[in-house]
Amino acid sequence: MENIFSAEGLFTIDSLISLLTLSVLEIVLGIDNIVFISILAGKLPAEKQKKARRLGLTLAMFVRILLLLSISWIMSLTTPLFNVGEWIGIHSEKWLEATAISGRDLILLIGGLFLIYKSTAEIHEKLEGGEHTTGPVKPANFTRTIIQILLLDIVFSLDSVITAVGMADHIQIMICAVIIAVGVMVVAAEGISNFVNKHPTVKMLALSFLLLIGVSLIAESFEQHIPKGYIYFAMAFSVFIEMLNLKMKSKSTKPVQLHQPRLKDKDQ
């Protein structure tokens, strides 16, 4: 770890392979981030959505770089802060290990709970609409949306940073991989966002993915590791089936319309 900032051995074939591999992994790990940003930005007025997506992804990049530059602090997050098992009188070593709560566990737990809450609220709003509202609904606040994106960026970045530390020996390679991945995501974000917003069933599927990721974050916070490969395979398979469904739909068939908030006037 102490040599991670060294430039020795930086310009080698191994380093190049490490950069390419890590860049691909960073892009894959960033897909859930794009989905979350797209859904949150979709609640803003149309003219502000692109700005929110780009700002959200730029913040994600800076958050990851700052976390990479604070590797010692990141590693210290794995040190247990307290043990729930001790509080309730558990003596089994195995269970005491599982019930130890670290800073990383707390971040993952809070992030997972927030994702589940946000996804459930979004699904309810889209399906039930303004059933419980009596007047016009204000458009989402730009600043509040960006703050939500920033907070979840920190949660999403933990896996990304830990993966980077495990795969590369140089901080320069890690930072380059993050910048490349975010660059690709900025280019792809608008297309993904437009596609998600255009197809209501895809939007429901994306929200379901966020629920799944929220559950996996909570499980991870309690040391119940769900292999990422299973989660990504389930998501990829679901997307594949949905693509087939969209392909088979008759062009004359109108998709189900999700409820949209009734905006007052122009964005404030």
Side-chain angles (χ1 to χ4, degrees):
M1 185 68 67
E2 61 274 6
N3 296 323
I4 206 165
F5 292 93
S6 168
E8 187 180 346
L10 182 60
F11 302 101
T12 63
I13 295 296
D14 284 346
S15 293
L16 179 60
I17 292 171
S18 177
L19 173 62
L20 293 174
T21 307
L22 189 53
S23 298
V24 172
L25 277 175
E26 290 290 331
I27 292 168
V28 172
L29 289 170
I31 289 173
D32 46 14
N33 210 345
I34 293 180
V35 171
F36 181 78
I37 289 173
S38 298
I39 289 170
L40 275 184
K43 297 171 70 67
L44 293 168
E47 67 274 12
K48 293 198 169 185
Q49 291 180 15
K50 187 173 183 179
K51 180 182 176 183
R53 284 195 299 270
R54 290 194 171 177
L55 183 55
L57 286 169
T58 303
L59 287 173
M61 179 180 73
F62 281 113
V63 165
R64 292 182 190 194
I65 290 174
L66 286 174
L67 289 176
L68 282 170
L69 293 172
S70 310
I71 286 174
S72 335
W73 177 72
I74 290 292
M75 293 301 116
S76 74
L77 287 177
T78 58
T79 304
L81 300 175
F82 56 88
N83 198 304
V84 177
E86 290 178 353
W87 294 354
I88 57 178
I90 290 177
H91 301 291
S92 165
E93 251 184 64
K94 178 183 174 183
W95 282 103
L96 283 174
E97 187 178 342
T99 54
I101 303 296
S102 65
R104 174 178 173 271
D105 294 334
L106 283 177
I107 292 173
L108 292 177
L109 178 61
I110 293 168
L113 289 172
F114 179 78
L115 265 187
I116 290 175
Y117 160 74
K118 195 69 184 173
S119 305
T120 304
E122 286 290 324
I123 290 172
H124 180 271
E125 181 183 318
K126 293 300 179 187
L127 293 178
E128 299 297 330
E131 193 175 274
H132 303 293
T133 57
T134 54
V137 178
K138 289 184 181 180
N141 179 276
F142 184 84
T143 304
R144 189 161 53 243
T145 299
I146 294 300
I147 290 172
Q148 288 183 46
I149 289 172
L150 178 59
L151 292 175
L152 259 295
D153 278 342
I154 294 172
V155 177
F156 285 133
S157 295
L158 278 180
D159 271 352
S160 166
V161 169
I162 291 168
T163 298
V165 172
M167 285 200 61
D169 296 324
H170 298 87
I171 193 73
Q172 298 92 327
I173 290 175
M174 299 176 202
I175 292 174
C176 282
V178 167
I179 293 172
I180 291 170
V182 171
V184 171
M185 288 191 284
V186 166
V187 172
E190 186 168 359
I192 291 174
S193 182
N194 292 340
F195 184 77
V196 167
N197 289 323
K198 183 179 176 184
H199 299 282
T201 54
V202 173
K203 193 160 195 172
M204 287 297 104
L205 191 61
L207 288 167
S208 300
F209 288 165
L210 292 179
L211 277 173
L212 177 62
I213 293 164
V215 170
S216 78
L217 287 176
I218 291 175
E220 190 79 18
S221 72
F222 288 105
E223 305 300 327
Q224 302 302 308
H225 305 289
I226 303 173
K228 289 287 191 297
Y230 293 163
I231 294 173
Y232 290 135
F233 175 78
M235 291 168 68
F237 184 73
S238 301
V239 169
F240 174 69
I241 296 299
E242 183 59 26
M243 293 303 101
L244 291 180
N245 285 336
L246 291 174
K247 190 78 175 172
M248 290 174 65
K249 274 184 183 177
S250 165
K251 290 184 180 179
S252 60
T253 303
K254 291 184 178 178
V256 63
Q257 294 297 313
L258 297 178
H259 295 278
Q260 296 295 334
R262 297 188 298 281
L263 303 182
K264 268 188 173 176
D265 293 308
K266 284 278 184 183
D267 177 45
Q268 309 178 23

